[in-house]
Amino acid sequence: MRDLQCVLGRMTLQQCILDKGRIDFKMKKSDSTKSLLIKSEQLLRIEDHDFAMRPGFGGAAIPVGIDVQVESIDSISEVNMDFTMTLYLRHYWQDDRLAFPSSSKKSRTFDARLVKKIWVPDVFFVHSKRSFIHDTTMENIMLRVYPDGNILYSVRITVTALCAMDFSSFPLDTQKCSLELESYAYNENDLMLYWKNGNDSLRTDEIVLSQFFIEEFHPSYGLAFYSSTGWYNRLYINFILRRHIFFFMLQTYFPTMLMVMLSWVSFWIDRRAVPARVSLGITTVLTMSTIITGVSASMPQVSYVKAVDIYLWASFLFVFLSVIEYAAVNYFTTVEEMKKLKGGKIPADFNATQTMAFDGCYHDNDIDLTPFPELPSTPNTERSRTATSRNSAAEPPPTEGTRLRRKKSIKHNLSFIMSNSYMIDSYSRVIFPMTYLMFNIIYWSLYS
């Protein structure tokens, strides 16, 4: 309105100039962001010092306290042997160059824009594969400066670091991992890293993992030596992880046990049912191979034997031996029947084609064995019978309580089993389950 009056000439030139100056003053006063930033830099005297140098350069090492709060453990990879952790990393040190006068003794808080203009510790993560500072919605960086020059520098970081895992007891294992912090440029003569509050410097939120239970979180301290640059202070964030076994019981151990027990079913199937027993054995062998392949695909290619490998391959051996057991039964049955065939114990009207149509073998119950005919008596046979009767009359009969024993050789026992091949199945029904039970007792007592 006043501009319109100036244009129409209703106001004098001095009044127009005075009103224009007032408007410009109000606009400058309302935009105080730039002036506030300049005042902060002037208050901290940033332009008066060289912040490329550490505080107290040339003197004693500057102490830098570290405080860590672990927000989460995002993932743990057995294949890559690493873990991903999100944490709040806080640094504490004193820089007299940033001290400022204050009657209220209150600190001033800044964001990442001022951090780039002052000196901050160059802490990095040893053995880290990748890391980044969160930047939503702004960079998660906070700088707090106290009047006496004490500084708090906090940053929210996600880091993926190496963890040397030992899978010899997998999946009944306990892993020990650590995240290591160290200054990159300043050795122990220039910068001294330490835990700000001792063991209380490491705090954690409630962390729940799918496959692990966190047993312990504790900080530690050490030194690292580099041949070209010397000794450096190193801080450790140590944590112990114990794996949950229930997932692997459902996915690996229970199916493996069922496959082994399923292979024992063939011991109760008639040895003449070749298609049934062979198909059952091959099915269990292929299933075990699939389970072993699936477990190996989700694990790193290590050069030593894991606990799960021992269990899977031992179970595979039991399944494989059940197939070999039937091969032995079938072979001994065939040999036994071929001997009877060659010995002339097969009647003339025996239909070999019909008997072998089922499984390719001759069987005892398909053969009607006739008793041997009596030999005609001759003078020699009569004399032998008379001598036998005399010898038997001369020997006293065995008294009550005495036993007649005959030592049987291993060859004789083996021949007896071969001639009675059905007994192999009978023995296997007891030997296989008892042996597998003993294996499980020893396995779980060693690794659990």
Side-chain angles (χ1 to χ4, degrees), residues 208-233:
V208 179
L209 302 176
S210 60
Q211 290 192 24
F212 291 93
F213 172 75
I214 301 177
E215 288 189 343
E216 184 182 359
F217 252 114
H218 68 276
S220 61
Y221 169 85
L223 291 173
F225 177 74
Y226 299 91
S227 58
S228 57
T229 54
W231 292 90
Y232 290 78
N233 298 120

Side-chain angles (χ1 to χ4, degrees), residues 222-401:
L223 291 173
F225 177 74
Y226 299 91
S227 58
S228 57
T229 54
W231 292 90
Y232 290 78
N233 298 120
R234 182 175 294 184
L235 303 182
Y236 300 86
I237 302 173
N238 305 301
F239 56 97
I240 300 176
L241 303 172
R242 179 166 55 85
R243 195 182 304 272
H244 295 302
I245 186 61
F246 188 70
F247 170 80
F248 296 93
M249 292 295 295
L250 292 178
Q251 297 295 323
T252 304
Y253 286 98
F254 284 159
T256 301
M257 293 178 185
L258 292 177
M259 286 300 105
V260 174
M261 289 187 285
L262 182 62
S263 67
W264 300 339
V265 175
S266 64
F267 303 150
W268 278 267
I269 300 177
D270 188 5
R271 57 195 173 113
R272 298 171 179 84
V274 176
R277 294 189 66 164
V278 170
S279 60
L280 179 60
I282 296 300
T283 300
T284 52
V285 168
L286 293 178
T287 305
M288 283 299 305
S289 301
T290 303
I291 294 175
I292 293 174
T293 304
V295 173
S296 300
S298 60
M299 291 297 298
Q301 305 300 318
V302 295
S303 59
Y304 50 85
V305 179
K306 303 180 289 293
V308 67
D309 294 335
I310 296 176
Y311 193 89
L312 290 177
W313 283 104
S315 300
F316 182 84
L317 181 62
F318 276 93
V319 173
F320 181 76
L321 288 178
S322 67
V323 179
I324 299 300
E325 183 270 348
Y326 178 64
V329 169
N330 188 274
Y331 174 75
F332 292 152
T333 302
T334 305
V335 171
E336 177 187 355
E337 294 174 352
M338 292 303 293
K339 286 182 179 179
K340 294 177 182 179
L341 179 63
K342 292 180 181 179
K345 296 183 181 180
I346 306 244
D349 58 348
F350 174 67
N351 189 351
T353 305
Q354 182 180 359
T355 304
M356 298 181 66
F358 183 60
D359 58 358
C361 298
Y362 296 107
H363 304 293
D364 302 342
N365 58 351
D366 297 326
I367 305 173
D368 186 13
L369 300 179
T370 58
F372 287 103
E374 294 186 0
L375 296 175
S377 60
T378 59
N380 293 332
T381 57
E382 291 292 339
R383 285 196 295 270
S384 62
R385 290 176 183 174
T386 304
T388 304
S389 61
R390 289 176 182 175
N391 292 335
S392 61
E395 296 178 358
T399 59
E400 186 177 358

Side-chain angles (χ1 to χ4, degrees), residues 18 104 106 145 266:
L18 183 61
S104 60
K106 291 184 179 180
V145 182
S266 64

Side-chain angles (χ1 to χ4, degrees), residues 116-154:
K116 299 176 182 179
K117 299 181 179 182
I118 66 171
W119 181 91
V120 293
D122 59 341
V123 175
F124 78 104
F125 297 100
V126 185
H127 306 307
S128 65
K129 296 182 177 180
R130 53 192 172 273
S131 61
F132 63 91
I133 299 175
H134 291 258
D135 55 0
T136 306
T137 56
M138 290 287 290
E139 284 187 300
N140 297 172
I141 295 176
M142 185 267 289
L143 181 70
R144 182 170 295 169
V145 182
Y146 293 86
D148 58 355
N150 285 312
I151 299 173
L152 166 60
Y153 170 54
S154 178

